[in-house]
Amino acid sequence: MSVSLIKLIRSLSKSEKRDFQILTQKQEGYKQYSHLFRLVDRSKHNELNTFKSEFRVYYPDSSFEATATYLTQLITDVIIRAEKRRNPFFQLHYGLLQLRVLKERNIEDLWLKELNRLKSIALLINYPAIDAILSREELTYLSSNSFQDISEKELIEKQQKGREALLTMRNTYEHYTLYELIKLRLTRQGKTISQKDQKKLDDLILGELSIINSRTKHNPESRKVHLLFQSFFLTNIGDYQSALKSFQEICRLFEQNTALWIHSPTEYLTVLDGILDSLRAIKNYDAMDVYIEKLESLNNPVYPEHICRISRNTTTLYKVIVMVANEQWKNAHDFIEDRKSEVHSMLGSVNDEKTCELFFYFALIYFQCGKIKDAQRAINSLINIKQNGNNTIIVRAGFLLNLIFYYHAKDFEYLEYAMRSFRRMFYGKEKMLKTEKLVLKVMKDNPRNMRRYHKEQHKDSIESLLTSIKQDTYEMQLLKYFDFCNWVEKQYVY
């Protein structure tokens, strides 16, 4: 058994677990797989070797690996059966299998009935891939029956519908191609932090514009991908004001076309996250409440458990962000203490980036409450999660915040070592942001030990740099986590 089975079991909703129990009750004989399910489901740890040992205590002669493989298959079947009852996406794919069986058995009346049922479902959820398949199935059926009871005009209309479905598929595919390429580039190289980096994306931007300006009809799906491309690009270059407009537009698109969710609202959740992230970056905290409520509403038993977990984790993050912005340190501390164990339990099962951000704010809150050791432990948790991705902005923000902790603790010997380690992160990779250089310079100069005259001189020398940083959209990607400029300015207060 791999960690995948553990994640699969932990992702099950209460109703899915009930379906699994009903299925196992119908089966006779020894049920080692059922015992293994209970071991994982009732435990809070994720240690594979511990599960193996516990299983072998009860079933020393049974193969743990074979039982785990069978359990994985059984759980997958249970999920598919549950989804087939309520999810049009699953109903369509299952229906295609039924069509195949009825066609092979030459049961035409039931075949036609099923075909019409699937066409009506496909129409409701706007699924051109299935539209094209169903169109071809119908045309093949008509051809095999010598086009009985159909005119040439009707035949051409049916052919045109199939052609339009294929054109829509191609248009949407081209959108996805560009969206996936820009996502890959920006994921690999990190946030775009200069004009030079942005120019590397020009070919994708021009390609996206050409698709949008083409005469091809755009359906909600292609419109969705276009807005995802646009918002993803704008977020990664730090233009959060423009990104917010794109996110709000796609939010309206999702809410007006719930078929885009295909039951699981993963992309809608991502859009709400994008809106909240943009509002945080432009410091419009008052507007966040309505979107936090929308996000919180996705923590609903009607959705799979992993969706609920992501919703809870992301909701916790933005509630913390609002409290931090309003400097409600005591409320924020009590809030995170209540949810700390749950956040730790979600490691590996939800977006690591969001968990890293939570640990960042945990550290900041502990620091403001005078709990330095807890703050440093939280930062270390962040760094350990992202130990293979130190170029990400949240990790860089975490490293900088950690330096500030040591600076305020006056541990200058370790601070010097930590500053050298931070600089080594960029050797042969990329340039530091201006904010990072400024924070390191201030720590090296240590203005708190300067005389008033020298402090004023140093403050004047960095004034233009501070102004430049505050106006730079690329720097905003770091400043949205913590106002490092404000921290620098406070070091020069008499």
Side-chain angles (χ1 to χ4, degrees):
M1 179 179 72
S2 66
V3 177
S4 299
L5 177 57
I6 301 173
K7 291 177 69 174
L8 182 63
I9 293 173
R10 300 272 165 85
S11 73
L12 296 175
S13 65
K14 289 182 179 179
S15 62
E16 288 167 341
K17 290 178 183 178
R18 187 169 58 251
D19 288 342
F20 176 82
Q21 290 169 354
I22 292 171
L23 179 66
T24 57
Q25 287 169 5
K26 293 178 180 178
Q27 297 183 356
E28 298 178 355
Y30 294 109
K31 300 175 184 176
Q32 294 97 327
Y33 65 86
S34 182
H35 184 80
L36 178 56
F37 178 89
R38 289 195 297 273
L39 282 178
V40 177
D41 185 44
R42 295 174 182 177
S43 176
K44 292 186 177 180
H45 69 82
N46 295 320
E47 296 297 325
L48 181 60
N49 289 331
T50 303
F51 288 128
K52 286 183 178 180
S53 301
E54 291 173 345
F55 178 81
R56 283 168 180 156
V57 168
Y58 291 92
Y59 302 102
D61 298 326
S62 298
S63 168
F64 178 85
E65 287 71 20
T67 304
T69 301
Y70 180 73
L71 178 58
T72 301
Q73 183 61 53
L74 202 60
I75 292 173
T76 306
D77 289 343
V78 167
I79 294 172
I80 291 172
R81 290 178 188 178
E83 291 293 336
K84 187 170 71 69
R85 291 196 298 267
R86 59 189 178 185
N87 189 336
F89 180 84
F90 281 77
Q91 290 167 12
L92 284 170
H93 284 274
Y94 185 77
L96 288 177
L97 296 177
Q98 288 182 302
L99 276 183
R100 175 65 61 181
V101 171
L102 294 171
K103 186 177 182 180
E104 288 177 351
R105 301 301 191 273
N106 199 28
I107 308 175
E108 291 189 2
D109 55 336
L110 292 180
W111 185 90
L112 278 171
K113 186 178 179 180
E114 182 65 13
L115 178 72
N116 291 326
R117 188 183 74 86
L118 296 179
K119 283 169 67 177
S120 63
I121 296 173
L123 188 64
L124 286 173
I125 69 170
N126 193 12
Y127 194 7
I130 296 293
D131 287 339
I133 294 173
L134 294 177
S135 176
R136 177 39 45 203
E137 286 284 336
E138 184 177 18
L139 290 168
T140 302
Y141 168 79
L142 291 170
S143 177
S144 65
N145 285 275
S146 304
F147 303 104
Q148 293 179 13
D149 302 321
I150 186 171
S151 67
E152 183 173 338
K153 181 181 178 182
E154 290 173 326
L155 176 62
I156 292 172
E157 287 176 354
K158 290 182 182 295
Q159 290 173 331
Q160 183 60 26
K161 285 182 181 179
R163 191 178 292 111
E164 286 174 359
L166 290 171
L167 287 171
T168 300
M169 283 175 58
R170 180 177 177 179
N171 184 52
T172 305
Y173 185 86
E174 293 300 328
H175 273 295
Y176 270 114
T177 298
L178 294 172
Y179 174 55
E180 289 155 0
L181 283 171
I182 198 170
K183 199 169 184 179
L184 181 143
R185 290 187 193 178
L186 291 173
T187 301
R188 292 281 173 83
Q189 72 183 35
K191 300 283 187 180
T192 302
I193 59 173
S194 68
Q195 288 287 348
K196 183 180 178 181
D197 288 339
Q198 188 174 331
K199 286 180 179 179
K200 296 177 183 176
L201 306 174
D202 284 350
D203 60 323
L204 302 181
I205 296 166
L206 290 172
E208 171 71 7
L209 285 172
S210 68
I211 295 175
I212 287 298
N213 294 326
S214 68
R215 295 182 179 180
T216 308
K217 183 180 178 181
H218 298 288
N219 68 341
E221 179 76 10
S222 63
R223 180 69 180 156
K224 175 196 77 174
V225 186
H226 161 65
L227 290 168
L228 284 172
F229 177 97
Q230 197 173 60
S231 53
F232 190 82
F233 168 71
L234 292 168
T235 300
N236 278 273
I237 65 170
D239 189 353
Y240 292 98
Q241 192 74 53
S242 300
L244 177 60
K245 293 178 182 177
S246 292
F247 275 125
Q248 287 174 329
E249 188 175 348
I250 193 174
C251 185
R252 286 191 293 271
L253 182 70
F254 269 100
E255 290 172 355
Q256 292 167 6
N257 299 272
T258 52
L260 290 172
W261 298 13
I262 312 294
H263 176 68
S264 178
T266 306
E267 288 182 327
Y268 179 56
L269 197 153
T270 302
V271 169
L272 292 174
D273 178 28
I275 292 173
L276 288 163
D277 186 49
S278 298
L279 289 170
R280 165 179 56 172
I282 61 177
K283 295 181 169 39
N284 188 357
Y285 302 106
D286 292 339
M288 292 175 71
D289 287 345
V290 63
Y291 293 104
I292 290 175
E293 287 178 9
K294 289 176 185 284
L295 189 63
E296 201 165 18
S297 70
L298 298 179
N299 181 25
N300 190 312
V302 302
Y303 300 124
E305 179 59 25
H306 69 278
I307 294 293
C308 297
R309 284 180 182 165
I310 296 170
S311 170
R312 290 197 300 272
N313 204 47
T314 313
T315 300
T316 297
L317 171 63
Y318 287 108
K319 284 184 175 180
V320 167
I321 287 169
V322 172
M323 284 186 274
V324 167
N326 294 320
E327 298 186 354
Q328 298 171 337
W329 303 115
K330 176 66 169 60
N331 290 344
H333 177 270
D334 294 343
F335 184 78
I336 65 172
E337 284 297 295
D338 288 341
R339 290 158 179 79
K340 186 168 60 175
S341 60
E342 183 182 27
V343 172
H344 280 276
S345 71
M346 289 185 184
L347 285 173
S349 62
V350 297
N351 189 325
D352 282 349
E353 194 79 11
K354 288 286 170 280
T355 307
C356 282
E357 289 186 41
L358 272 168
F359 283 131
F360 178 90
Y361 287 107
F362 283 9
L364 182 58
I365 292 164
Y366 286 135
F367 175 71
Q368 293 290 347
C369 293
K371 298 185 175 182
I372 305 300
K373 288 186 178 179
D374 286 340
Q376 289 172 337
R377 274 196 289 268
I379 284 293
N380 287 334
S381 295
L382 184 163
I383 294 168
N384 289 336
I385 294 172
K386 284 289 186 179
Q387 57 187 341
N388 295 322
N390 289 341
N391 65 326
T392 59
I393 293 293
I394 182 58
V395 171
R396 289 159 68 165
F399 268 105
L400 276 186
L401 190 63
N402 201 30
L403 295 178
I404 289 174
F405 293 162
Y406 286 108
Y407 178 79
H408 281 277
K410 297 183 180 180
D411 189 348
F412 296 114
E413 184 177 347
Y414 186 83
L415 179 63
E416 183 62 33
Y417 163 78
M419 288 169 67
R420 287 197 302 269
S421 297
F422 184 75
R423 290 190 180 96
R424 278 198 296 271
M425 285 171 56
F426 302 93
Y427 286 168
K429 296 179 182 177
E430 55 189 299
K431 293 181 179 179
M432 282 189 188
L433 288 163
K434 289 182 283 189
T435 304
E436 293 166 325
K437 292 178 181 178
L438 177 60
V439 170
L440 293 181
K441 173 178 167 47
V442 170
M443 289 180 176
K444 184 178 179 182
D445 294 341
N446 194 10
R448 294 193 300 178
N449 289 342
M450 292 180 181
R451 294 181 180 274
R452 181 167 182 166
Y453 171 74
H454 291 109
K455 189 178 283 191
E456 288 178 347
Q457 278 190 322
H458 275 264
K459 185 178 180 182
D460 290 341
S461 69
I462 65 169
E463 203 65 50
S464 60
L465 180 57
L466 276 167
T467 303
S468 171
I469 289 172
K470 291 175 182 178
Q471 296 174 349
D472 193 328
T473 55
Y474 298 111
E475 300 294 323
M476 192 183 291
Q477 297 170 91
L478 188 63
L479 295 175
K480 72 177 183 181
Y481 296 114
F482 178 76
D483 195 342
F484 292 101
C485 289
N486 181 257
W487 177 84
V488 167
E489 289 171 330
K490 285 183 177 178
Q491 306 315 301
Y492 293 92
V493 175
Y494 308 123

